[in-house]
Amino acid sequence: MAQVRVGLAQVDVTVGDIAGNADKVVAWTRNAVERGAHVVAFPELCLTGYPVEDLALRGSFVDASQAGIRKLAERLNDEGLGDIVVVCGYLDRASGTAMGIDRLGRPKGSPTNAAAVIHQGRVVTSAVKHHLPNYGVFDEFRHFVPGNTLQVVRIHGVDVAIVICEDLWQDGGPVAVAREAGAGLLLVINSSPYEANKDDLRGELVSRRAREAGCSLAYVNLVGGQDELVFDGDSLIADAEGKIFSRAPQFEQGSMVVDLELPAASGTPSGTHEGIEIVHTVIHEDPVAPYDAMDAAIAPRLSDEAEMYHAIVTGLRDYVQKNGFKSVLLGLSGGIDSSLVAAIACDAIGAEHVFGISNPSVYSSDHSKDDAADLAARTGLNYRVIPIQPMVQPFIDTLGLTGLAEENLQARVRAVIWMGLSNADGHLVLACGNKSELSVGYSTIYGDAVGGYAPLKDVPKTVVWRLAKWRNEDAKARGQQPPIPANSIAKPPSAELRPGQQDTDSLPPYDLLDDMLDDYVEQDRGSAELVAAGFEAELVTQVIQLVDRAEYKRRQYPPGPKITHKAFGRDRRLPITNVWREDARKAAEH
């Protein structure tokens, strides 16, 4: 057996910031060296940020990535960090031993999702991602060509097989031949987006693949927000029997350094198995001298609500900071949605950078105005009241608007105020709508739907209540004042755009609605299946028609962090012009 001290650096990088991302690789490599690590791994496409999307198709960007990885290798050596082995994701081209032989449909020079192995100032070899995901939020078939090798690097007498993200999730490919390659450690670099309860699935997968490979498995993941994706870290290590014995915190940038005792290299020759060529590279033939190992640790797991809340906070914080904003602005109605968004914003960037605007109308209740003011006092955010009736009335007098047109006018006047203040002061406007409302089109386009980011875009209404209650309970547990007024959580939801209005005037109760939406939106079940599941046919038809007709609104809604299995936008893509309609009443007749 041989000892190896492995560092897994889950870092928060920015797409396109090759120089800034390289700075982070250098800083965390130095941290690993100071802690005695022999090898440190960084996430998938760490140098370029992930996902690069169509930047991968821009030759200048690929050139910059290739130059950047060479410059990074030289810099690490120049700064006295050349002895440690660094594995770092970057964007490369299809060429050289990392790609094996050329084949039809994969010309040299095509972009590849690669992992550089850096030592003593140079890139010793590179691994190329084999399985390219093309589902959900992923479009990697569009951007990359696949590799067909398993890179096995001997580090201090241990053969370390290196693969990239989806290679772990799919059967076959390089992971499947790790056992034949004689690997003592399977090292997987990842940029695996967060969704609720994915940490459980991820842990089960790592355990299973470790057993299949017959060796320990080290999994490092990205952390931070990138547009609509959030990465939760959760790096982990399992032994050859699949037992997870070390795990990093979620949503925290940092490095986990762990001592492993692994089988010494067996000298397994290179060869081809199941279409995958095994390529061996030797950096250190001999193991290190025996030393006292450090104890490994497992970070405590977050509750479901804490996990979702942290994901939304992370997504908002990084969207604000990476896009150069200094502050955010939102309409504060006193309702549950805007109250939760305000609490999230204060946690993400600090209350001093959050501006809440109350825009009461003639229909706004006293308790709503009081609840908005109460939340502002509880959180310490910047608060301002601007009544809208003086601006609404001239429109009504001029155009004679009534009914729904009058209701939407109020929402749009509010939006004009928010965007005006945004233009004047540089705030990022936050849309406060939730996934349930967005599903059925219960929002005003160019009204409450305006903004640059929507923290609750992928959060069903019932989950909004859960998160609000959790945030208040968490505050109490910390000895702090709960940020969200109890009345905002307890009162029936209402847009307050006409006298006595409640959401249930137009929609089913949210617990029933969210149950139906989970089947139709998340699970892609048809109307007949919903009726078979026990939902009333007339209601099924009504809700499905609302969802289908609101597609054009969703296309114009701001981005927001993905937390469910199927988020609107990248995950769920349906045509706007579409005459196909599910009719549960006809299905019931048959």
Side-chain angles (χ1 to χ4, degrees):
M1 302 295 281
Q3 288 179 290
V4 177
R5 182 168 289 177
V6 176
L8 302 180
Q10 54 182 49
V11 293
D12 185 350
V13 295
T14 303
V15 167
D17 187 11
I18 293 175
N21 297 340
D23 288 342
K24 290 195 173 185
V25 173
V26 172
W28 286 105
T29 298
R30 181 173 290 107
N31 176 276
V33 168
E34 290 170 351
R35 296 161 71 186
H38 303 116
V39 56
V40 59
F42 292 86
E44 175 184 14
L45 290 181
C46 181
L47 185 63
T48 58
Y50 183 91
V52 294
E53 301 189 62
D54 280 7
L55 285 174
L57 307 180
R58 192 173 299 176
S60 58
F61 187 67
V62 183
D63 292 343
S65 174
Q66 290 182 305
I69 201 72
R70 292 192 296 268
K71 188 180 299 183
L72 173 63
E74 295 168 359
R75 180 180 170 188
L76 288 168
N77 198 52
D78 292 344
E79 297 193 20
L81 306 172
D83 289 340
I84 190 172
V85 178
V86 176
V87 179
C88 180
Y90 74 110
L91 180 61
D92 201 0
R93 297 188 189 278
S95 61
T97 58
M99 290 298 296
I101 60 173
D102 296 327
R103 66 172 183 259
L104 186 66
R106 193 196 59 191
K108 282 189 175 182
S110 298
T112 59
N113 184 334
V117 180
I118 299 170
H119 185 247
Q120 297 290 11
R122 67 188 185 95
V123 177
V124 177
T125 189
S126 294
V128 174
K129 193 173 185 176
H130 175 77
H131 289 296
L132 301 177
N134 203 46
Y135 57 87
V137 300
F138 305 107
D139 288 308
E140 293 199 14
F141 252 60
R142 173 185 175 92
H143 301 125
F144 307 118
V145 294
N148 63 341
T149 66
L150 173 64
Q151 297 292 321
V152 181
V153 182
R154 190 161 299 167
I155 302 172
H156 294 297
V158 175
D159 279 345
V160 179
I162 300 170
V163 298
I164 302 174
C165 201
E166 190 72 10
D167 291 338
L168 190 74
W169 290 84
Q170 300 295 329
D171 294 332
V175 170
V177 299
R179 184 185 290 268
E180 286 77 8
L185 174 66
L186 182 59
L187 178 59
V188 190
I189 68 168
N190 307 267
S191 288
S192 178
Y194 168 81
E195 63 185 53
N197 299 316
K198 192 173 184 179
D199 57 329
D200 298 332
L201 183 62
R202 185 183 291 143
E204 293 168 2
L205 176 71
V206 165
S207 295
R208 183 168 76 252
R209 295 300 191 213
R211 292 192 297 269
E212 292 171 358
C215 65
S216 295
L217 191 157
Y219 176 108
V220 62
N221 193 28
L222 194 66
V223 70
Q226 170 60 31
D227 293 345
E228 294 188 296
L229 300 182
V230 179
F231 302 91
D232 61 326
D234 192 32
S235 302
L236 44 82
I237 300 179
D239 64 21
E241 285 72 45
K243 179 183 177 182
I244 295 173
F245 63 90
S246 187
R247 198 161 193 169
Q250 289 177 278
F251 307 107
E252 292 184 21
Q253 185 170 237
S255 180
M256 179 171 73
V257 176
V258 180
D259 280 311
L260 305 179
E261 191 169 337
L262 304 169
S266 61
T268 304
S270 299
T272 300
H273 296 267
E274 301 180 16
I276 300 296
E277 182 184 358
I278 301 171
V279 180
H280 284 271
T281 303
V282 176
I283 294 179
H284 313 106
E285 189 69 68
D286 299 324
V288 297
Y291 61 87
D292 293 331
M294 301 185 299
D295 292 332
I298 295 180
R301 298 293 85 198
L302 299 173
S303 69
D304 290 349
E305 290 77 16
E307 190 181 88
M308 288 186 281
Y309 192 88
H310 279 79
I312 299 167
V313 167
T314 299
L316 175 58
R317 178 190 297 124
D318 272 13
Y319 193 86
V320 170
Q321 294 177 352
K322 292 179 181 181
N323 285 289
F325 290 97
K326 303 298 183 184
S327 56
V328 300
L329 179 148
L330 69 151
L332 272 184
S333 68
I336 185 64
D337 296 320
S338 65
S339 297
L340 179 60
V341 170
I344 289 167
C346 290
D347 289 340
I349 62 172
E352 66 275 19
H353 303 296
V354 179
F355 291 77
I357 309 298
S358 172
N359 298 127
S361 73
V362 293
Y363 304 117
S364 297
S365 62
D366 289 340
H367 63 74
S368 290
K369 290 181 280 189
D370 291 344
D371 291 339
D374 186 14
L375 180 134
R378 287 167 177 262
T379 59
L381 59 76
N382 302 280
Y383 184 60
R384 184 176 176 185
V385 179
I386 305 175
I388 63 171
Q389 192 58 27
M391 289 168 269
V392 169
Q393 195 61 48
F395 279 94
I396 294 176
D397 294 341
T398 302
L399 302 175
L401 301 179
T402 60
L404 182 60
E406 181 187 358
E407 293 180 31
N408 288 340
L409 171 63
Q410 296 170 69
R412 289 176 180 137
V413 166
R414 287 171 173 143
V416 169
I417 294 170
W418 304 336
M419 295 309 298
L421 294 173
S422 169
N423 293 156
D425 300 321
H427 308 303
L428 172 68
V429 176
L430 302 182
C432 296
N434 60 69
K435 188 173 189 177
S436 305
E437 295 170 349
L438 191 59
S439 296
V440 295
Y442 195 65
S443 63
T444 302
I445 195 167
Y446 319 124
D448 56 302
V450 305
Y453 195 74
L456 304 183
K457 181 179 181 179
D458 199 32
V459 184
K461 185 76 169 189
T462 50
V463 179
V464 170
W465 276 305
R466 283 172 52 196
L467 294 181
K469 292 174 183 176
W470 173 85
R471 180 62 182 87
N472 277 1
E473 290 300 320
D474 183 66
K476 291 177 183 176
R478 297 171 182 268
Q480 301 169 351
Q481 183 181 40
I484 300 173
N487 194 51
S488 294
I489 298 174
K491 65 186 177 185
S494 170
E496 293 194 328
L497 296 173
R498 63 175 183 264
Q501 184 181 26
Q502 291 190 3
D503 288 6
T504 49
D505 297 341
S506 305
L507 300 174
Y510 279 111
D511 55 350
L512 175 59
L513 178 63
D514 282 355
D515 195 8
M516 295 177 65
L517 292 175
D518 180 72
D519 282 354
Y520 185 60
V521 174
E522 305 286 335
Q523 310 300 327
D524 276 322
R525 292 174 180 159
S527 59
E529 293 173 283
L530 268 68
V531 172
F535 297 109
E536 196 270 326
E538 190 76 32
L539 184 60
V540 168
T541 299
Q542 174 197 345
V543 169
I544 285 179
Q545 288 179 351
L546 288 172
V547 173
D548 292 350
R549 290 170 179 167
E551 185 62 35
Y552 80 100
K553 287 188 176 183
R554 290 189 287 272
R555 292 287 186 93
Q556 300 179 70
Y557 207 75
K562 169 184 167 66
I563 68 163
T564 69
H565 170 66
K566 184 169 288 187
F568 288 124
R570 298 176 66 98
D571 272 326
R572 188 179 188 269
R573 311 176 195 185
L574 291 173
I576 296 173
T577 305
N578 172 21
V579 298
W580 171 258
R581 292 289 181 264
E582 298 269 354
D583 193 328
R585 295 164 298 187
K586 293 180 180 179
E589 292 173 2
H590 293 84

